[in-house]
Amino acid sequence: MAVMQTCCCCGVRQGSVASAIYSMVIAIIGIIYFGWSAAGIGLLKVNGVNGVAIIDAFFALYILAVIIFIFVVIACIFVFVGISQDSKAMLIPFMVAAGLHLLWYVLLFIVDAVFLGMIGGDILYYGYAYLATIILLIPFLIGDIVCLLCVISQYQEYTDGRGRATDQQGTTQTTVVIQQQAPPPAYK
């Protein structure tokens, strides 16, 4: 039995495609943002701001984010191919990538919490930015969890022998019968 029967008001098959599109867009934005941020931290490190543990932690976290997001983009392509070919094996890379992405969120929350604890008295100056980061990432975290559950459901549908394109075409196909009256007899 699949975890979800529908995904965002549509079938799990269409929801898996929508999940892959959402995840790909978020991943591309993440590659750009965290790549840019890592480059900025790298410039700080080149200019002599070394040895600060939190800067090193954020730098490592941002580089890890770029690597995971690249993996997510590739996995989304596998989902597109897997859905079009009804291949459950093609959905596995996305499930792994999405799981890694969720673990990355946990790491980010931990590093942010440690940073908030380290700044102590400067919480009014620095704390709100990192607290806002945590609060703003929660909707994305929920969206990523829903995407993962949707693709897992499609995988379970394939495992149970359902969820293929031919299965869904049979349920949505309609036949229209038009009855016409015989034409009136011609007048002489």
Side-chain angles (χ1 to χ4, degrees), residues 20-30:
I21 292 169
Y22 167 81
S23 295
M24 184 178 274
V25 168
I26 293 298
I28 290 171
I29 292 170

Side-chain angles (χ1 to χ4, degrees), residues 5-123:
Q5 300 300 321
T6 60
C7 183
C8 300
C9 301
C10 59
V12 179
R13 181 181 179 84
Q14 293 86 3
S16 295
V17 172
S19 296
I21 292 169
Y22 167 81
S23 295
M24 184 178 274
V25 168
I26 293 298
I28 290 171
I29 292 170
I31 290 169
I32 294 167
Y33 174 76
F34 289 109
W36 185 265
S37 297
I41 293 174
L43 287 175
L44 285 175
K45 291 170 73 74
V46 167
N47 290 330
V49 183
N50 284 326
V52 179
I54 199 68
I55 291 177
D56 294 336
F58 276 114
F59 182 72
L61 196 61
Y62 290 170
I63 294 297
L64 182 63
V66 171
I67 293 168
I68 290 173
F69 283 136
I70 289 170
F71 184 39
V72 168
V73 169
I74 294 168
C76 289
I77 294 169
F78 276 96
V79 169
F80 296 138
V81 173
I83 294 292
S84 68
Q85 295 181 354
D86 293 327
S87 171
K88 70 178 183 178
M90 298 289 261
L91 302 180
I92 294 172
F94 181 84
M95 292 186 283
V96 172
L100 289 173
H101 186 200
L102 293 175
L103 284 175
W104 177 82
Y105 274 119
V106 171
L107 285 173
L108 180 65
F109 291 152
I110 290 170
V111 169
D112 276 348
V114 167
F115 181 70
L116 284 173
M118 286 176 61
I119 59 176
D122 292 336
I123 191 106

Side-chain angles (χ1 to χ4, degrees), residues 142-165:
I142 292 169
D144 290 338
I145 290 171
V146 170
C147 289
L148 177 60
L149 290 176
C150 192
V151 173
I152 287 173
S153 297
Q154 181 62 32
Y155 181 84
Q156 289 174 335
E157 289 286 316
Y158 283 154
T159 302
D160 293 341
R162 300 184 305 263
R164 306 205 185 301

